Amino acid sequence: MGKIYFLPDYGILPNSEADCSAKLQELFDFVEDGSTVQFKTGNYFLSQIVRLRNRKNIKILGNRSHIITHYEPCGPKENSNNAFQFTECSDIEINGLFFDTDNPIGATGDVVGMDFENNTVDVKIYDEFPVTGYEHFCGTNSFDENGAPDYAFATYNNVLKAQEITLSDNTKRERLIGLDYDVVAEQTVRLKLEGAFPPREKCRLKIGHKINFRYEMYGHSVFTFAFCHRVLIKDVVIYSAASFGVTVEPRSSDFTFDNFCIRVNDGSTRLKAINADGIHILGLYGKLEMRNCNIEGLGDDTLNIHGLATAVTDIENNTLKMIGRENSLYRSIVECTWAAAGDIIDAYDPETFLKVAQFTVLEQWADGTVVFSEPVGEIKKGAILANRTFYASVHLDGCTLRNTRARGILIQTENVLVENCYISGMSLAAMLFAPDIRFWWEVGPSKNVEIRNNVIEYCTVAPGAHNKAAIVFKASHEGDDAAYPAGVHNGIYIHGNYFKDIPRSAIFVAAAKNIRIENNEFNNCCCLAGETDSEYADYDIVAINCEDIEVCGNCSSRGDRTLFFKG
């Protein structure tokens, strides 16, 4: 049996209100492989990130302890919301911890006034969230009466700028601003929306609309993993985080989330628990499993799993040069983690997104050079590259995903099973399977996907022609859905699911082949189909540029006439 490190034995005491970051880091620096780090139940405050490096077979048992991380709503984002970072670790279990912040990571209020002439909106912020005038508003979203982000009002100002203001005593002070605003009364702010506020006749925002303010969007994660393998996160709850819940970076493998929860703590009036993705994965191989997870109230996707696309800029013999999004060298390219010897790379035609070649990596250099074995197929300049090593399999079972500002799950990998889940209140799709080489440069296409026995309710709430359906397969996150031919996705089986109160189509599949859609039930779908002039907007199931599709045994509350459209 391995050694047990009980925190009080090392001077790390609960409920002391002292910052335990340094002492916990000191303990993590000398824990032995095969040991257990055990918390005594209570509250622990962290002001700095705590790192575990190069350890094997470690258990961290929280005993239902609460980790309180520091968040500064008025200061630089880099000073806030530090928790745990794991690098080059394997066989790690994290169990029985709750996470919260010492200050709110956002605020909630009600719209109390709108001035269309001056492009301002007044919001009365609830007393739970003190207003000093120095809080930085990086993003805002309106929420409907069902608790779903409805995009009647939304702003994005993630880059903070310094602004000098004059106080009532004529002294000057600097504040960091995203969206500009003034404090016009106690707990009341006036948002300045020049160029971001629609005219009266197109405005969906109303007096009384609930508004969520994000003090931050993209920054630190509660958990960050890199080069980590066989990780279990079990019985962990995140009540509050300024950005991501969990980030998994290359080159990691085999992650399991069991009874993992992100939600607003009881008694709070916050509309969001965290400000970005719940779980963001950009370089996982092996498998991802999520069992009995409850994730709700997020600022971005519940789950986003993908690899990073690159483009060939030059090729000669068996050596090529590649570049990333916006002609950049990703950190993973510079650090030579985008690919390693033995990785298999798929090359795609940039116009069709169909695979044209495959090769094995011999070397990858920091300048984007890749030396490879003799390819199968032809690689041309401009080809899109995806490292299929990072096409981890995904299995979601019995998870509840609710009231999130983007997608329920965004999947860009192969061999996926989603079953027995409940998904509701998503602004966008409940499930989006879509690589993207137009803007995000995320890969890859999906293959062998089964979606069964799920309940999907009131998703695709936000307006917009790109917001197609509750379950979507296509070849870009936004844009022309007919731009790519059949075959980008391959092997889709959607059956036994129940769709209720979906404002748009229930299922939308584009650029795919070998599809079966069977025995699904559609209740009150397409209720906002009139928002667009699309010829297929009123159909429960839509297939565009698809081959080898079988649709049978499905039923709709609106009858068979609007059940299935194929174009």
Side-chain angles (χ1 to χ4, degrees):
M1 181 177 179
K3 186 171 182 178
I4 296 176
Y5 297 89
F6 186 50
L7 262 56
D9 294 341
Y10 299 88
I12 306 171
L13 303 175
N15 308 319
S16 68
E17 299 185 3
D19 181 5
C20 65
S21 304
K23 288 186 177 180
L24 195 56
Q25 183 62 67
E26 183 180 349
L27 174 62
F28 274 29
D29 285 343
F30 67 74
V31 294
E32 300 173 359
D33 290 350
S35 60
T36 298
V37 176
Q38 185 170 332
F39 285 74
K40 181 178 180 180
T41 304
N43 296 333
Y44 297 82
F45 177 68
L46 297 181
S47 69
Q48 299 295 322
I49 200 163
V50 178
R51 296 174 171 86
L52 184 67
R53 301 179 180 89
N54 195 24
R55 293 294 188 274
K56 299 178 181 178
N57 193 19
I58 300 292
K59 290 185 178 181
I60 300 175
L61 304 182
N63 287 324
R64 299 184 63 80
S65 290
H66 288 244
I67 305 295
I68 313 299
T69 60
H70 176 60
Y71 182 69
E72 177 49 67
C74 304
K77 293 187 289 185
E78 58 269 19
N79 295 343
S80 298
N81 195 220
N82 300 291
F84 294 108
Q85 182 183 88
F86 298 82
T87 305
E88 295 183 321
C89 295
S90 59
D91 300 296
I92 303 297
E93 178 180 343
I94 304 165
N95 193 314
L97 284 170
F98 294 74
F99 290 84
D100 209 336
T101 52
D102 55 354
N103 293 306
I105 51 88
T108 305
D110 297 326
V111 175
V112 295
M114 295 186 288
D115 186 336
F116 291 94
E117 182 176 345
N118 293 302
N119 295 296
T120 63
V121 171
D122 291 355
V123 181
K124 175 75 171 179
I125 295 178
Y126 300 162
D127 290 341
E128 180 184 348
F129 315 101
V131 175
T132 67
Y134 294 95
E135 292 76 22
H136 32 69
F137 297 162
C138 290
T140 63
N141 278 98
S142 58
F143 280 63
D144 67 16
E145 63 276 7
N146 296 315
D150 63 1
Y151 280 80
F153 180 72
T155 63
Y156 304 92
N157 305 86
N158 195 43
V159 177
L160 297 180
K161 298 179 181 179
Q163 180 189 69
E164 187 176 73
I165 61 174
T166 302
L167 304 180
S168 57
D169 61 0
N170 290 323
T171 60
K172 296 184 182 298
R173 177 175 170 179
E174 183 179 271
R175 71 168 180 172
L176 298 172
I177 63 165
L179 175 64
D180 198 6
Y181 68 94
D182 291 325
V183 179
V184 294
E186 184 178 0
Q187 291 292 117
T188 302
V189 296
R190 177 164 293 159
L191 308 179
K192 301 177 181 180
L193 301 169
E194 187 67 39
F197 195 40
R200 185 188 303 269
E201 62 273 12
K202 293 184 178 180
C203 185
R204 296 166 49 236
L205 190 68
K206 299 178 177 62
I207 300 297
H209 233 126
K210 291 188 182 300
I211 301 295
N212 175 82
F213 295 90
R214 288 189 278 175
Y215 294 157
E216 182 177 328
M217 285 198 282
Y218 304 113
H220 295 293
S221 301
V222 174
F223 295 104
T224 301
F225 299 90
F227 297 94
C228 290
H229 311 284
R230 297 177 299 281
V231 174
L232 170 62
I233 299 178
K234 183 175 182 179
D235 298 333
V236 168
V237 179
I238 299 175
Y239 289 133
S240 177
S243 191
F244 298 94
V246 179
T247 302
V248 181
E249 299 183 353
R251 304 173 53 95
S252 298
S253 68
D254 300 324
F255 272 62
T256 299
F257 295 83
D258 190 347
N259 196 32
F260 175 67
C261 177
I262 301 176
R263 68 174 181 87
V264 174
N265 48 324
D266 294 338
S268 175
T269 58
R270 281 187 296 124
L271 294 169
K272 289 179 181 173
I274 68 175
N275 286 331
D277 296 0
I279 302 170
H280 193 103
I281 298 174
L282 59 161
L284 183 74
Y285 60 92
K287 63 182 180 180
L288 167 67
E289 294 192 26
M290 295 177 62
R291 303 190 293 259
N292 305 315
C293 297
N294 177 24
I295 302 177
E296 56 185 75
L298 274 58
D300 215 318
D301 304 318
T302 298
L303 166 68
N304 183 352
I305 178 169
H306 64 89
L308 295 174
T310 62
V312 176
T313 58
D314 194 16
I315 184 166
E316 183 176 353
N317 298 323
N318 283 21
T319 300
L320 62 81
K321 292 290 289 291
M322 63 180 180
I323 202 75
R325 177 187 174 193
E326 297 178 344
N327 296 318
S328 66
L329 288 174
Y330 302 134
R331 189 180 71 178
S332 61
I333 294 177
V334 174
E335 295 178 354
C336 298
T337 60
W338 187 89
D343 286 358
I344 297 175
I345 308 299
D346 288 340
Y348 296 93
D349 184 302
E351 300 301 322
T352 65
F353 220 140
L354 298 180
K355 189 164 75 172
V356 294
Q358 188 176 88
F359 61 83
T360 300
V361 173
L362 301 178
E363 296 180 73
Q364 188 234 300
W365 303 342
D367 65 351
T369 297
V370 177
V371 182
F372 56 92
S373 64
E374 194 65 32
V376 177
E378 184 180 5
I379 307 168
K380 296 181 179 180
K381 185 177 179 179
I384 300 299
L385 303 181
N387 189 341
R388 66 174 299 106
T389 303
F390 299 133
Y391 288 178
S393 67
V394 175
H395 182 197
L396 272 71
D397 187 0
C399 297
T400 297
L401 316 177
R402 297 179 63 248
N403 294 351
T404 285
R405 187 204 58 84
R407 283 72 54 128
I409 57 175
L410 172 53
I411 304 289
Q412 297 163 96
T413 186
E414 300 178 350
N415 302 311
V416 178
L417 173 59
V418 182
E419 59 180 338
N420 309 314
C421 294
Y422 174 74
I423 306 178
S424 74
M426 298 293 156
S427 296
L428 307 178
M431 305 180 199
L432 174 61
F433 296 80
D436 189 293
I437 55 172
R438 293 180 173 180
F439 182 77
W440 296 107
W441 283 58
E442 297 177 357
V443 286
S446 293
K447 183 178 180 180
N448 300 330
V449 176
E450 183 175 4
I451 301 169
R452 68 188 185 197
N453 305 327
N454 303 285
V455 175
I456 302 174
E457 182 176 8
Y458 194 59
C459 292
T460 69
V461 173
H466 67 280
N467 205 9
K468 296 295 185 183
I471 295 177
V472 176
F473 288 80
K474 56 182 184 174
S476 64
H477 295 182
E478 293 91 21
D480 183 3
D481 303 303
Y484 296 99
V488 177
H489 303 290
N490 192 348
I492 299 168
Y493 187 23
I494 303 172
H495 62 110
N497 303 285
Y498 178 68
F499 299 83
K500 180 182 178 184
D501 297 336
I502 306 298
R504 292 163 181 82
S505 299
I507 299 171
F508 180 94
V509 182
K513 63 182 181 180
N514 299 323
I515 308 147
R516 294 163 59 196
I517 303 174
E518 301 174 350
N519 303 318
N520 301 283
E521 183 177 349
F522 309 104
N523 185 358
N524 190 35
C525 297
C526 303
C527 51
L528 293 181
E531 282 191 352
T532 72
D533 57 4
S534 167
E535 61 179 328
Y536 50 73
D538 196 36
Y539 288 83
D540 296 316
I541 304 169
V542 177
I544 304 293
N545 288 1
C546 291
E547 295 177 357
D548 302 323
I549 181 169
E550 180 180 349
V551 177
C552 65
N554 303 284
C555 63
S556 173
S557 62
R558 301 182 301 135
D560 291 342
R561 186 187 65 82
T562 55
L563 183 61
F564 177 47
F565 176 93
K566 187 174 187 296

